[in-house]
Amino acid sequence: MRVRLVVTFVVVALISAVTATALAYRDARTAVLQRTQNAAVNDLRERVGVVAADVDLPPDERTLARFASKVSEGIGARIVVVRYQDLSATSDTLAETEGRITAELRAAVRAGSGARFQRVEWRGEPYLVVGLPVTYADGDRRTSGLEVFAITALRAERDDTAALLDSVRAGIVPVVVLAAVLALLAAGTVLRPVRKLGRATRELATGDLGSRVAVRGHDELADLARTFNETADALQASDAELRAQEAKARRFVADVSHELRTPLAAMTMVATVLEEDADQLPPDAARAARTVGAETARLSRLVDDLMEISRFDAKAVRLNASVTDLADTVRASLALRGWTDRVTAELREGARAVVDRRRVDVIVANLVGNALRHGAPPVTVTLAVDDGGEWGDGGEWVVLEVADHGPGLAPEARERVFDRFYKADAARTRSTNTETGSGDRADSGDSGDSGGQGSGLGMAIALENARLHGGTIEVGQQPLGGAVFTLRLPLRTGEEGE
């Protein structure tokens, strides 16, 4: 904007200077030539009036020559040509006059009764030629037949106007420089508030809701700054209100989850006793006992998930990291839940990294449990090490892929699968008989019947655990169908912890 403003100022100043120069040159040239023309006409008329009284008509060639010489002496030794019918005489016999006195001027003088003039250029030099018919002085306005022409050089006038043009041209450069300086000053004055407003806007965009700009003056920029401050005030107030509401919601979830744990513990104990004695109960009572046990376990897992999410939101989660063999961790996670025979594992041996083993177990349980519950066999778990070639960042990553051969996830479901409580009803089919086992957090955003429905928090918890390690989880689609979840964790091998 500064460049455009300066260029605009300079262009306007240049156009103004050129226009003023052209007008000044035209007016000066016209004034100089007009003055010279008037002086030449008046001088010739007065001198002819004085000299013509002594001329006898009809004159001979000698009389014409004497007449031309006297007229020339009286008007500053200009070249004078006198014509009478076929006779002609020149004050300077060596001067060439035919090229300077045009036929148009002769015809105009012969046909008129007053002075006529014409500017001509001869051999590269400008001249003013004034023609005048000699009339009788006794009141008879008839011409005497004498025609007098005076040739005046306009070299001095041309040089004067050229010098004026040069001086005006020389003044254009300072004018343009001055315009550029004024443009820079104006640009600084105008753009300084704009820059401040832009800086405050960027600060606001990065999360600094306390960013404000000083309001000075009463112009449009001041109105803009005032509007920005009002908008920032409203945004800050809304943000504070939202944060307060979010904090209340988090405290509510945490409090509710905490309060539910005590009665749930009692319910779980009673449900366990009922399930153990279910074989001794009537069929309907046994089925009810098992249902109560399953739903109590599911409610307990939901409360645990809510507590975990609350800890993530409160930034109260810390890693208990140590050097861990990831292949052993994945095998132990599958064995703990009885999935070893249902999952094909291709694990890179010797892949060791500094991780929180319990949280990696949670991630594996959620990803594999989700594939078993909602996908179709075979379910494959692949552990590999990426040296940075795929991501191009030069670092090393542990890559864990969990793939199934089910219908996969629709594009809209893939975009929201990690959202909390999201359940894609029609995204994938599910196996109602799949149980993830004790401690499983393999809840996804997919829905199913009550026999295997997840809380909708498992994938969100898995992603939070991956981010806590500095990694991420991506979801994709296999070429032949089926979803594939890819966990990436930085391969840190030193003794690190968070």
Side-chain angles (χ1 to χ4, degrees), residues 321-324 352-355 492-498:
S322 61
V323 179
T324 303
R352 301 173 62 83
V354 178
V355 296
R492 295 187 295 244
T493 58
E495 292 293 339
E496 303 174 38
E498 297 185 30

Side-chain angles (χ1 to χ4, degrees), residues 255-270:
D255 293 343
V256 168
S257 301
H258 181 75
E259 293 299 326
L260 286 176
R261 297 189 74 173
T262 300
L264 269 176
M267 292 172 60
T268 301
M269 183 174 59
V270 172

Side-chain angles (χ1 to χ4, degrees), residues 241-420:
E241 182 179 358
L242 289 175
R243 288 179 183 273
Q245 293 177 355
E246 185 180 7
K248 290 180 181 178
R250 290 174 179 172
R251 284 196 301 269
F252 175 78
V253 171
D255 293 343
V256 168
S257 301
H258 181 75
E259 293 299 326
L260 286 176
R261 297 189 74 173
T262 300
L264 269 176
M267 292 172 60
T268 301
M269 183 174 59
V270 172
T272 301
V273 172
L274 289 175
E275 284 187 294
E276 289 177 352
D277 297 336
D279 293 339
Q280 303 174 9
L281 299 175
D284 291 342
R287 186 164 51 252
R290 293 189 180 94
T291 301
V292 169
E295 292 302 318
T296 301
R298 193 167 70 88
L299 182 58
S300 179
R301 289 196 298 271
L302 175 59
V303 171
D304 289 341
D305 288 346
L306 289 174
M307 291 291 292
E308 186 75 356
I309 285 292
S310 298
R311 284 192 290 269
F312 277 115
D313 291 340
K315 309 296 183 183
V317 179
R318 294 293 181 269
L319 287 178
N320 183 19
S322 61
V323 179
T324 303
D325 189 311
L326 295 175
D328 290 344
T329 301
V330 174
R331 274 192 293 266
S333 181
L334 297 178
L336 177 64
R337 293 162 180 83
W339 293 340
T340 304
D341 296 336
R342 303 171 58 192
V343 174
T344 301
E346 300 176 2
L347 308 178
R348 163 79 175 270
E349 299 297 336
R352 301 173 62 83
V354 178
V355 296
D356 187 326
R357 184 184 181 107
R358 184 185 68 83
R359 295 190 180 279
V360 172
D361 173 74
V362 170
I363 298 173
V364 173
N366 276 286
L367 296 181
V368 177
N370 183 73
L372 291 172
R373 185 165 58 249
H374 300 287
V379 174
T380 60
V381 178
T382 305
L383 178 67
V385 175
D386 179 15
D387 61 359
E390 182 176 348
W391 279 21
D393 57 1
E396 288 188 330
W397 299 82
V398 177
V399 180
L400 179 71
E401 287 188 353
V402 178
D404 62 69
H405 290 74
L409 286 167
E412 60 273 13
R414 289 199 296 270
E415 293 177 359
R416 299 188 57 192
V417 70
F418 296 105
D419 293 349
R420 298 176 183 181

Side-chain angles (χ1 to χ4, degrees), residues 119-165:
R119 289 193 297 272
V120 298
E121 187 168 335
W122 183 71
R123 294 182 179 177
E125 296 292 337
Y127 291 92
L128 173 66
V129 182
V130 180
L132 180 69
V134 178
T135 59
Y136 293 104
D138 56 357
D140 188 352
R141 306 307 299 173
R142 291 177 303 159
T143 59
S144 62
L146 287 172
E147 299 171 359
V148 182
F149 299 91
I151 301 175
T152 304
L154 297 178
R155 184 182 301 107
E157 287 75 8
R158 181 196 61 187
D159 294 342
D160 291 342
T161 54
L164 175 63
L165 181 61

